[in-house]
Amino acid sequence: MTVYLTQFLVALPAIFFVVDPIGVVPLFLAMTAGDTKEKVRSTALRACLVAGGLMTFFALFGTVIFKVFGVSLGAFRVAGGILLLMTALDMLRARPSETRTTPTEEREGAVKEDVAIVPLAIPLLAGPGGIATAMVLVARGNSMTGTLPVLAAIILTFVASYFILRASGLVQRVLRQSGVAIVERVMGLILAAIAVQFMADGAKELLK
């Protein structure tokens, strides 16, 4: 039980911070401006379901992908750590990360009729960093001890993301721009530490 709890306590902040639903709030508001409350709730729900499903898929079948492409776990940990570190550095500077979405994609999203799948679910919520994090976290444990806590962390993250996006107007009014920037920087610092640990673990495995 302790092993599951320890793995869960590592997985939850890693996944939540890289998904970063609070950082998505301003973009979500811009993309759903003028929509009815029902449509806003529907968009948030579908985006979270698709993003959560995608990350769950890669968490469950990541090892198969490793084998198909002949990629070692150590190499993927280093690559995933670098990608997470890039995202974390952008969060520390309180600016949008282009590893998740580009300004062009954001402008296209603002004028699309349905933004739930692209760009909200992919790549804003379930971007390369989130997918890499889920796969690396599962691979750190042994079968069930690696998989179940990560799946629980993914589910909890996207349940929280749904309620944050659903109440996005309230979140922005309470935190304001300065508050969002502070939360981003704190998340970025923790995520940077997790990224460095991923790279260290991967480097040790590659050197064996």
Side-chain angles (χ1 to χ4, degrees):
M1 188 66 181
T2 304
V3 176
Y4 286 97
L5 181 60
T6 301
Q7 182 76 345
F8 175 76
L9 293 177
V10 171
L12 182 60
I15 292 174
F16 184 83
F17 292 157
V18 75
V19 171
D20 188 18
I22 295 176
V24 176
V25 164
L27 294 172
F28 181 78
L29 288 171
M31 292 177 185
T32 57
D35 290 349
T36 63
K37 290 183 179 180
E38 290 74 15
K39 187 171 182 180
V40 169
R41 286 195 293 266
S42 173
T43 299
L45 179 61
R46 287 185 294 123
C48 291
L49 286 175
V50 171
L54 184 67
M55 286 184 61
T56 299
F57 173 83
F58 279 100
L60 291 174
F61 301 105
T63 53
V64 176
I65 296 173
F66 287 154
K67 292 178 182 178
V68 169
F69 290 98
V71 178
S72 70
L73 176 59
F76 194 84
R77 281 178 174 168
V78 172
I82 292 171
L83 186 58
L84 283 184
L85 186 59
M86 292 169 61
T87 302
L89 291 175
D90 283 332
M91 290 172 71
L92 283 168
R93 289 176 286 186
R95 74 179 194 185
S97 174
E98 292 191 2
T99 64
R100 295 172 61 169
T101 183
T102 63
T104 301
E105 290 172 323
E106 291 175 12
R107 287 193 297 270
E108 289 179 355
V111 297
K112 284 183 66 176
E113 185 175 343
D114 187 0
V115 298
I117 310 303
V118 179
L120 278 176
I122 310 164
L124 280 174
L125 293 173
I131 291 170
T133 301
M135 292 172 68
V136 171
L137 285 169
V138 168
R140 290 183 70 189
N142 298 317
S143 59
M144 298 297 283
T145 59
T147 304
L148 291 181
V150 175
L151 294 182
I154 291 172
I155 292 170
L156 189 57
T157 291
F158 283 102
V159 169
S161 297
Y162 166 68
F163 285 107
I164 290 171
L165 292 181
R166 179 174 171 172
S168 54
L170 177 62
V171 172
Q172 191 171 55
R173 285 196 298 274
V174 170
L175 294 179
R176 300 185 180 276
Q177 190 60 40
S178 58
V180 172
I182 291 170
V183 173
E184 284 272 301
R185 287 187 172 96
V186 172
M187 288 182 173
L189 181 60
I190 297 173
L191 190 60
I194 294 171
V196 170
Q197 186 62 55
F198 279 2
M199 288 187 285
D201 291 344
K204 287 179 185 177
E205 191 162 330
L206 288 173
L207 291 173
K208 285 183 180 179

